[in-house]
Amino acid sequence: MGLSVVIVALWVLSTSVVRGGKVLVFPQDGSHWINMKVIIEELHSRGHSVSVVRPSDSWYIKGTSLHYKSITVDVPGGADEEFFRSFVSRQIQIQREGKSAWTRLSLDMELKDRFSEMHRKVCEMVIHMFGDKELMESIRETQYDLVLTDPANGGGVMLAHYLKVPLVFNVRWTVHGEAHFAIAPSPLSYVPFPIAELTDEMGFSQRVRNVFAYVFRQHLYRRAVGPPYSALVSRYFGPGVDYFSLFQAADLWLMRVDFVFEFPRPTMPNVIYMGGFQCRPAKPLPRQLEEFVQSSGQHGVIVMSLGTLVGQLPRDVADEIAFSFAQLPQKVIWRYKGDRPTALGNNTLLVDWLPQNDLLGHPKTRLFVSHGGTNGIFEAIYHSIPMVGVPLVFDQHDNLSRMKAKGAATVVDIATLDRNIFSRALTEVLHEPSYKMNMQRLSELHRDVPMKPLDSALFWIEFVMRHKGAAHLRTESYRMPWYSYHSVDVMAFLLTVVLILLLATFVIVRWLLFRMCCRPKMKHD
Amino acid sequence: MGLSVVIVALWVLSTSVVRGGKVLVFPQDGSHWINMKVIIEELHSRGHSVSVVRPSDSWYIKGTSLHYKSITVDVPGGADEEFFRSFVSRQIQIQREGKSAWTRLSLDMELKDRFSEMHRKVCEMVIHMFGDKELMESIRETQYDLVLTDPANGGGVMLAHYLKVPLVFNVRWTVHGEAHFAIAPSPLSYVPFPIAELTDEMGFSQRVRNVFAYVFRQHLYRRAVGPPYSALVSRYFGPGVDYFSLFQAADLWLMRVDFVFEFPRPTMPNVIYMGGFQCRPAKPLPRQLEEFVQSSGQHGVIVMSLGTLVGQLPRDVADEIAFSFAQLPQKVIWRYKGDRPTALGNNTLLVDWLPQNDLLGHPKTRLFVSHGGTNGIFEAIYHSIPMVGVPLVFDQHDNLSRMKAKGAATVVDIATLDRNIFSRALTEVLHEPSYKMNMQRLSELHRDVPMKPLDSALFWIEFVMRHKGAAHLRTESYRMPWYSYHSVDVMAFLLTVVLILLLATFVIVRWLLFRMCCRPKMKHD
């Protein structure tokens, strides 16, 4: 494997003609930034210069970095971590306490408002930038080769269109929902709409659910998020421009999924799959952690983390989990910032932070207890560690349902989680060999590619630099009106022709019949 | 570039775990075999052993070879070169002489019969094989890793299903028409159906034509070719098996196109694009030919070939072409087996055969006059030589219309070809720089890939060997009944629900109105 890595590195080096490209990044603040950073660092290490647009109060996107120059816009638009943290903990509470649908809905509305607010701020950033003649002049003068953006917000799309430079997405979700649904034909009979927790094999009622999920979600996204961007588009690009089309005009979609995770589905030629691009072989653990891991002996280690947004859990949940862990012969490393659960066993180490990729890549690791964020799932796949999922919010239920469908995870509902249920889940994945075997198979498939995902992403970014876009891979069909795209006009035309022919036939036949039947009659008369 | 080649070679070597795989090939006899041979030779050179099923009278597929072991089936099923040669020459004649639609149709029917005959023979080969207990036993014992086939006939599909081994296609056309249309969603609003000579940007009337082309051609293919294979399927695999599904169950589609040639369109994850896989840097020319080429000086050389099926042309056409060539300062190398045209200039060399790839890759070559076969087009793209197309039969018109749409070729109609028209076409492509520039751009895009097409094809064939298939890339949606696939049942259900609700509302409203309006009336009474 070592040889391969060197060879890929050499090969990439030898083919990348563009040296010192210039990339303008409009990221999505918050946890999405972690993904963008990986690509920025790689761009930097290959000799490209990167500028990152950031709101003045961003906690994630630092103002100074070795890897990029920052363009700080004096608008407070940073991700509201506090809100999201509280949102998740209130969600857990609601689920645990079986609160009324009304409470759930009102929390959902609060989330929707917060998203709208976020998009409003992004729009303000864009307006602020476009209004700053000096800034825009200096950006123009830099002559960026492309805009790289996470289209979970629309800022980068506006910027690229304004500057008339190629547009590259680092994407899983767009402003309008899952990225595939914005670009590739997605027959709802076998392409599950995300969040619906469906697979590519659906019965009748599941297909009905899928259609509902699609119609309502897409509608909601467009209604909730569309207006501010539409206003921006008509303000700067004139009334004839459709803001959804600007999205679809992207040259390249670097998609953060892979077909060991995504179900097979139609795709477009300008979609490059780079799921797992952040995974890498494990580095050695810090000494103390390594000692703890080694002390597990033949039983091995369980790693648990519910993501950066979940520092703590309701006291009773934490106790049930701690109790379950305490019954096991394995050692457990649990990222947990709350009060020490009373039932905590000697085998369980609580930590504030853990080197997740290195731990999952450790030969002693047996099991990963996870909330089901995409990054964690890909690390588990890469290192072939089966999972117990405890999904909490957003796309986590859906992500984990996919791993469950592939037989590589079991899923526990936070609403009903207790020591019995949790212990049963842990024991099942630890002792039923199919989980490990399935994860192993996914891992082998995932790793067996002509080019590693990060190298592939970089190859195609540099491709866009070299050729000033990738128009030959992009369909322009999004410019068609919907009735032409779906051939409604052609069908209506053909139907009309058929009807006219039928009518004509009917009239002629009637006339002929009339002549045949009535003439003799007249004679008789 | 040299370094890259070495590096790719090394990289491929380091990743291919399977050594000595066993591949069973069921090819399509005739010119398609040329494509299959390239892959077989590469498989052989990588240490895999290949067996090729061939009819006893095949002229193309030799019984003995260094690169494969042959399994000769004692059924005469070889490609009928004589018929195709005469077919093409009669086609040309019909077009030149403006014969009646009736003559054209009767020739088309003759072709259709010949195709049906070909498929009948393939079916006979399959029956013969399945009936030969000893042969099938020895094939089973060999434990092939996969069946590689050109699905322009259905033999390999039957064989793979019978042996229950993974199935890999080397494909552009299937028994049912263009390969994409068999597997990927193809919205007829922007995906041109082949043979219709349309692009991805169609006006209303073109979209109507596209729908017609699709409906009639697909129907024709299925009606003309379906029955013998259906009979075979129900004979060997029972009545519950649909022979079209067996096609769609292929693990991998190695597609002989590329998006510099194909318009951007939806595709499936198990389609690997390998268009141009047979192209390679030019080798030095034979001494005499090199001298002739060098004698062209600054004017350079024109290469003309109308493919293996067209050895000669009607006398008048050959004369007009020869006359046009004679007027040019360029030297011309023309593959032509007919009588020496009277108007032939000193600058034109007639040859029986020419090393096409090496000539197109020669720095002196300026222009390629071609019938528009896919192989020739890819060689022209690879070496960036603009084209004058003289399409004759089959998909040649369509192929060339694509190159024309991309501004890399001009097309001459054989029906009206004379010295003026042909000279104008030559002069235009020689002197209008956009043709060369467009071809150059296509060439750069085509060559700028992470992995060369042939290496990519081999990687994925070996992938199927390593993992015993590629199920995670293949949708199983083809197993659904058509009304489920197209969500007709869901839509009907939802429509019914809406109608019932409307009806219920109507009934209730009527009842309420009745109560409101009539009671007072009754009081008045």
mmCIF file with all atom_site columns, all heavy atoms in Angstrom, chain B residues 295-311:
data_model
loop_
_atom_site.group_PDB
_atom_site.id
_atom_site.type_symbol
_atom_site.label_atom_id
_atom_site.label_alt_id
_atom_site.label_comp_id
_atom_site.label_asym_id
_atom_site.label_entity_id
_atom_site.label_seq_id
_atom_site.pdbx_PDB_ins_code
_atom_site.Cartn_x
_atom_site.Cartn_y
_atom_site.Cartn_z
_atom_site.occupancy
_atom_site.B_iso_or_equiv
_atom_site.pdbx_formal_charge
_atom_site.auth_seq_id
_atom_site.auth_comp_id
_atom_site.auth_asym_id
_atom_site.auth_atom_id
_atom_site.pdbx_PDB_model_num
ATOM 1   N N   . SER B 1 295 ? 7.915   14.248 -47.837 1.00 0.00 ? 295 SER B N   1
ATOM 2   C CA  . SER B 1 295 ? 7.976   15.008 -49.093 1.00 0.00 ? 295 SER B CA  1
ATOM 3   C C   . SER B 1 295 ? 6.871   16.062 -49.188 1.00 0.00 ? 295 SER B C   1
ATOM 4   O O   . SER B 1 295 ? 6.861   16.893 -50.089 1.00 0.00 ? 295 SER B O   1
ATOM 5   C CB  . SER B 1 295 ? 7.868   14.052 -50.286 1.00 0.00 ? 295 SER B CB  1
ATOM 6   O OG  . SER B 1 295 ? 6.529   13.577 -50.390 1.00 0.00 ? 295 SER B OG  1
ATOM 7   N N   . SER B 1 296 ? 5.918   16.030 -48.230 1.00 0.00 ? 296 SER B N   1
ATOM 8   C CA  . SER B 1 296 ? 4.814   17.004 -48.270 1.00 0.00 ? 296 SER B CA  1
ATOM 9   C C   . SER B 1 296 ? 5.273   18.391 -47.828 1.00 0.00 ? 296 SER B C   1
ATOM 10  O O   . SER B 1 296 ? 4.552   19.375 -48.032 1.00 0.00 ? 296 SER B O   1
ATOM 11  C CB  . SER B 1 296 ? 3.671   16.525 -47.377 1.00 0.00 ? 296 SER B CB  1
ATOM 12  O OG  . SER B 1 296 ? 4.058   16.590 -46.019 1.00 0.00 ? 296 SER B OG  1
ATOM 13  N N   . GLY B 1 297 ? 6.452   18.458 -47.194 1.00 0.00 ? 297 GLY B N   1
ATOM 14  C CA  . GLY B 1 297 ? 6.981   19.752 -46.757 1.00 0.00 ? 297 GLY B CA  1
ATOM 15  C C   . GLY B 1 297 ? 6.060   20.430 -45.767 1.00 0.00 ? 297 GLY B C   1
ATOM 16  O O   . GLY B 1 297 ? 5.428   19.779 -44.938 1.00 0.00 ? 297 GLY B O   1
ATOM 17  N N   . GLN B 1 298 ? 5.947   21.768 -45.914 1.00 0.00 ? 298 GLN B N   1
ATOM 18  C CA  . GLN B 1 298 ? 5.144   22.525 -44.953 1.00 0.00 ? 298 GLN B CA  1
ATOM 19  C C   . GLN B 1 298 ? 3.646   22.294 -45.107 1.00 0.00 ? 298 GLN B C   1
ATOM 20  O O   . GLN B 1 298 ? 2.877   22.600 -44.220 1.00 0.00 ? 298 GLN B O   1
ATOM 21  C CB  . GLN B 1 298 ? 5.430   24.013 -45.115 1.00 0.00 ? 298 GLN B CB  1
ATOM 22  C CG  . GLN B 1 298 ? 5.040   24.487 -46.526 1.00 0.00 ? 298 GLN B CG  1
ATOM 23  C CD  . GLN B 1 298 ? 5.181   25.978 -46.698 1.00 0.00 ? 298 GLN B CD  1
ATOM 24  O OE1 . GLN B 1 298 ? 6.266   26.518 -46.525 1.00 0.00 ? 298 GLN B OE1 1
ATOM 25  N NE2 . GLN B 1 298 ? 4.086   26.647 -47.024 1.00 0.00 ? 298 GLN B NE2 1
ATOM 26  N N   . HIS B 1 299 ? 3.227   21.775 -46.265 1.00 0.00 ? 299 HIS B N   1
ATOM 27  C CA  . HIS B 1 299 ? 1.790   21.627 -46.521 1.00 0.00 ? 299 HIS B CA  1
ATOM 28  C C   . HIS B 1 299 ? 1.158   20.471 -45.765 1.00 0.00 ? 299 HIS B C   1
ATOM 29  O O   . HIS B 1 299 ? -0.035  20.478 -45.493 1.00 0.00 ? 299 HIS B O   1
ATOM 30  C CB  . HIS B 1 299 ? 1.541   21.457 -48.020 1.00 0.00 ? 299 HIS B CB  1
ATOM 31  C CG  . HIS B 1 299 ? 1.927   22.663 -48.812 1.00 0.00 ? 299 HIS B CG  1
ATOM 32  N ND1 . HIS B 1 299 ? 1.304   23.873 -48.645 1.00 0.00 ? 299 HIS B ND1 1
ATOM 33  C CD2 . HIS B 1 299 ? 2.905   22.849 -49.746 1.00 0.00 ? 299 HIS B CD2 1
ATOM 34  C CE1 . HIS B 1 299 ? 1.865   24.768 -49.446 1.00 0.00 ? 299 HIS B CE1 1
ATOM 35  N NE2 . HIS B 1 299 ? 2.840   24.168 -50.128 1.00 0.00 ? 299 HIS B NE2 1
ATOM 36  N N   . GLY B 1 300 ? 1.984   19.486 -45.477 1.00 0.00 ? 300 GLY B N   1
ATOM 37  C CA  . GLY B 1 300 ? 1.474   18.372 -44.697 1.00 0.00 ? 300 GLY B CA  1
ATOM 38  C C   . GLY B 1 300 ? 0.654   17.386 -45.495 1.00 0.00 ? 300 GLY B C   1
ATOM 39  O O   . GLY B 1 300 ? 0.564   17.472 -46.731 1.00 0.00 ? 300 GLY B O   1
ATOM 40  N N   . VAL B 1 301 ? 0.026   16.471 -44.762 1.00 0.00 ? 301 VAL B N   1
ATOM 41  C CA  . VAL B 1 301 ? -0.571  15.284 -45.369 1.00 0.00 ? 301 VAL B CA  1
ATOM 42  C C   . VAL B 1 301 ? -2.049  15.170 -45.021 1.00 0.00 ? 301 VAL B C   1
ATOM 43  O O   . VAL B 1 301 ? -2.474  15.564 -43.939 1.00 0.00 ? 301 VAL B O   1
ATOM 44  C CB  . VAL B 1 301 ? 0.193   14.035 -44.862 1.00 0.00 ? 301 VAL B CB  1
ATOM 45  C CG1 . VAL B 1 301 ? -0.548  12.758 -45.210 1.00 0.00 ? 301 VAL B CG1 1
ATOM 46  C CG2 . VAL B 1 301 ? 1.599   14.008 -45.436 1.00 0.00 ? 301 VAL B CG2 1
ATOM 47  N N   . ILE B 1 302 ? -2.816  14.648 -45.966 1.00 0.00 ? 302 ILE B N   1
ATOM 48  C CA  . ILE B 1 302 ? -4.214  14.283 -45.719 1.00 0.00 ? 302 ILE B CA  1
ATOM 49  C C   . ILE B 1 302 ? -4.320  12.760 -45.732 1.00 0.00 ? 302 ILE B C   1
ATOM 50  O O   . ILE B 1 302 ? -3.755  12.112 -46.614 1.00 0.00 ? 302 ILE B O   1
ATOM 51  C CB  . ILE B 1 302 ? -5.135  14.862 -46.811 1.00 0.00 ? 302 ILE B CB  1
ATOM 52  C CG1 . ILE B 1 302 ? -5.080  16.393 -46.779 1.00 0.00 ? 302 ILE B CG1 1
ATOM 53  C CG2 . ILE B 1 302 ? -6.564  14.364 -46.665 1.00 0.00 ? 302 ILE B CG2 1
ATOM 54  C CD1 . ILE B 1 302 ? -5.765  17.065 -47.954 1.00 0.00 ? 302 ILE B CD1 1
ATOM 55  N N   . VAL B 1 303 ? -5.024  12.200 -44.736 1.00 0.00 ? 303 VAL B N   1
ATOM 56  C CA  . VAL B 1 303 ? -5.214  10.751 -44.681 1.00 0.00 ? 303 VAL B CA  1
ATOM 57  C C   . VAL B 1 303 ? -6.681  10.467 -44.961 1.00 0.00 ? 303 VAL B C   1
ATOM 58  O O   . VAL B 1 303 ? -7.560  11.108 -44.393 1.00 0.00 ? 303 VAL B O   1
ATOM 59  C CB  . VAL B 1 303 ? -4.824  10.196 -43.293 1.00 0.00 ? 303 VAL B CB  1
ATOM 60  C CG1 . VAL B 1 303 ? -5.068  8.702  -43.222 1.00 0.00 ? 303 VAL B CG1 1
ATOM 61  C CG2 . VAL B 1 303 ? -3.374  10.531 -42.968 1.00 0.00 ? 303 VAL B CG2 1
ATOM 62  N N   . MET B 1 304 ? -6.930  9.531  -45.875 1.00 0.00 ? 304 MET B N   1
ATOM 63  C CA  . MET B 1 304 ? -8.327  9.167  -46.155 1.00 0.00 ? 304 MET B CA  1
ATOM 64  C C   . MET B 1 304 ? -8.541  7.664  -46.064 1.00 0.00 ? 304 MET B C   1
ATOM 65  O O   . MET B 1 304 ? -7.808  6.874  -46.660 1.00 0.00 ? 304 MET B O   1
ATOM 66  C CB  . MET B 1 304 ? -8.745  9.645  -47.549 1.00 0.00 ? 304 MET B CB  1
ATOM 67  C CG  . MET B 1 304 ? -10.117 9.116  -47.967 1.00 0.00 ? 304 MET B CG  1
ATOM 68  S SD  . MET B 1 304 ? -10.902 10.095 -49.286 1.00 0.00 ? 304 MET B SD  1
ATOM 69  C CE  . MET B 1 304 ? -12.436 9.180  -49.524 1.00 0.00 ? 304 MET B CE  1
ATOM 70  N N   . SER B 1 305 ? -9.577  7.293  -45.287 1.00 0.00 ? 305 SER B N   1
ATOM 71  C CA  . SER B 1 305 ? -9.986  5.894  -45.256 1.00 0.00 ? 305 SER B CA  1
ATOM 72  C C   . SER B 1 305 ? -11.467 5.835  -44.943 1.00 0.00 ? 305 SER B C   1
ATOM 73  O O   . SER B 1 305 ? -11.959 6.550  -44.075 1.00 0.00 ? 305 SER B O   1
ATOM 74  C CB  . SER B 1 305 ? -9.195  5.122  -44.198 1.00 0.00 ? 305 SER B CB  1
ATOM 75  O OG  . SER B 1 305 ? -9.828  3.872  -43.973 1.00 0.00 ? 305 SER B OG  1
ATOM 76  N N   . LEU B 1 306 ? -12.187 4.998  -45.686 1.00 0.00 ? 306 LEU B N   1
ATOM 77  C CA  . LEU B 1 306 ? -13.621 4.860  -45.434 1.00 0.00 ? 306 LEU B CA  1
ATOM 78  C C   . LEU B 1 306 ? -13.943 3.538  -44.744 1.00 0.00 ? 306 LEU B C   1
ATOM 79  O O   . LEU B 1 306 ? -15.062 3.025  -44.838 1.00 0.00 ? 306 LEU B O   1
ATOM 80  C CB  . LEU B 1 306 ? -14.413 5.013  -46.743 1.00 0.00 ? 306 LEU B CB  1
ATOM 81  C CG  . LEU B 1 306 ? -14.267 6.370  -47.447 1.00 0.00 ? 306 LEU B CG  1
ATOM 82  C CD1 . LEU B 1 306 ? -15.152 6.432  -48.677 1.00 0.00 ? 306 LEU B CD1 1
ATOM 83  C CD2 . LEU B 1 306 ? -14.591 7.537  -46.530 1.00 0.00 ? 306 LEU B CD2 1
ATOM 84  N N   . GLY B 1 307 ? -12.949 2.994  -44.037 1.00 0.00 ? 307 GLY B N   1
ATOM 85  C CA  . GLY B 1 307 ? -13.212 1.795  -43.239 1.00 0.00 ? 307 GLY B CA  1
ATOM 86  C C   . GLY B 1 307 ? -13.033 0.517  -44.017 1.00 0.00 ? 307 GLY B C   1
ATOM 87  O O   . GLY B 1 307 ? -12.953 0.519  -45.241 1.00 0.00 ? 307 GLY B O   1
ATOM 88  N N   . THR B 1 308 ? -12.995 -0.587 -43.285 1.00 0.00 ? 308 THR B N   1
ATOM 89  C CA  . THR B 1 308 ? -12.687 -1.870 -43.905 1.00 0.00 ? 308 THR B CA  1
ATOM 90  C C   . THR B 1 308 ? -13.767 -2.353 -44.852 1.00 0.00 ? 308 THR B C   1
ATOM 91  O O   . THR B 1 308 ? -13.498 -3.147 -45.742 1.00 0.00 ? 308 THR B O   1
ATOM 92  C CB  . THR B 1 308 ? -12.470 -2.946 -42.816 1.00 0.00 ? 308 THR B CB  1
ATOM 93  O OG1 . THR B 1 308 ? -13.534 -2.834 -41.873 1.00 0.00 ? 308 THR B OG1 1
ATOM 94  C CG2 . THR B 1 308 ? -11.143 -2.772 -42.120 1.00 0.00 ? 308 THR B CG2 1
ATOM 95  N N   . LEU B 1 309 ? -15.011 -1.887 -44.646 1.00 0.00 ? 309 LEU B N   1
ATOM 96  C CA  . LEU B 1 309 ? -16.101 -2.389 -45.493 1.00 0.00 ? 309 LEU B CA  1
ATOM 97  C C   . LEU B 1 309 ? -16.136 -1.717 -46.875 1.00 0.00 ? 309 LEU B C   1
ATOM 98  O O   . LEU B 1 309 ? -16.810 -2.189 -47.778 1.00 0.00 ? 309 LEU B O   1
ATOM 99  C CB  . LEU B 1 309 ? -17.456 -2.197 -44.813 1.00 0.00 ? 309 LEU B CB  1
ATOM 100 C CG  . LEU B 1 309 ? -17.746 -3.100 -43.621 1.00 0.00 ? 309 LEU B CG  1
ATOM 101 C CD1 . LEU B 1 309 ? -19.127 -2.835 -43.067 1.00 0.00 ? 309 LEU B CD1 1
ATOM 102 C CD2 . LEU B 1 309 ? -17.619 -4.574 -44.002 1.00 0.00 ? 309 LEU B CD2 1
ATOM 103 N N   . VAL B 1 310 ? -15.440 -0.582 -47.008 1.00 0.00 ? 310 VAL B N   1
ATOM 104 C CA  . VAL B 1 310 ? -15.487 0.136  -48.282 1.00 0.00 ? 310 VAL B CA  1
ATOM 105 C C   . VAL B 1 310 ? -14.121 0.091  -48.970 1.00 0.00 ? 310 VAL B C   1
ATOM 106 O O   . VAL B 1 310 ? -13.276 0.956  -48.763 1.00 0.00 ? 310 VAL B O   1
ATOM 107 C CB  . VAL B 1 310 ? -15.926 1.602  -48.070 1.00 0.00 ? 310 VAL B CB  1
ATOM 108 C CG1 . VAL B 1 310 ? -16.087 2.302  -49.406 1.00 0.00 ? 310 VAL B CG1 1
ATOM 109 C CG2 . VAL B 1 310 ? -17.207 1.664  -47.278 1.00 0.00 ? 310 VAL B CG2 1
ATOM 110 N N   . GLY B 1 311 ? -13.911 -0.938 -49.727 1.00 0.00 ? 311 GLY B N   1
ATOM 111 C CA  . GLY B 1 311 ? -12.666 -1.055 -50.481 1.00 0.00 ? 311 GLY B CA  1
ATOM 112 C C   . GLY B 1 311 ? -12.674 -0.132 -51.681 1.00 0.00 ? 311 GLY B C   1
ATOM 113 O O   . GLY B 1 311 ? -11.673 0.445  -52.045 1.00 0.00 ? 311 GLY B O   1
#
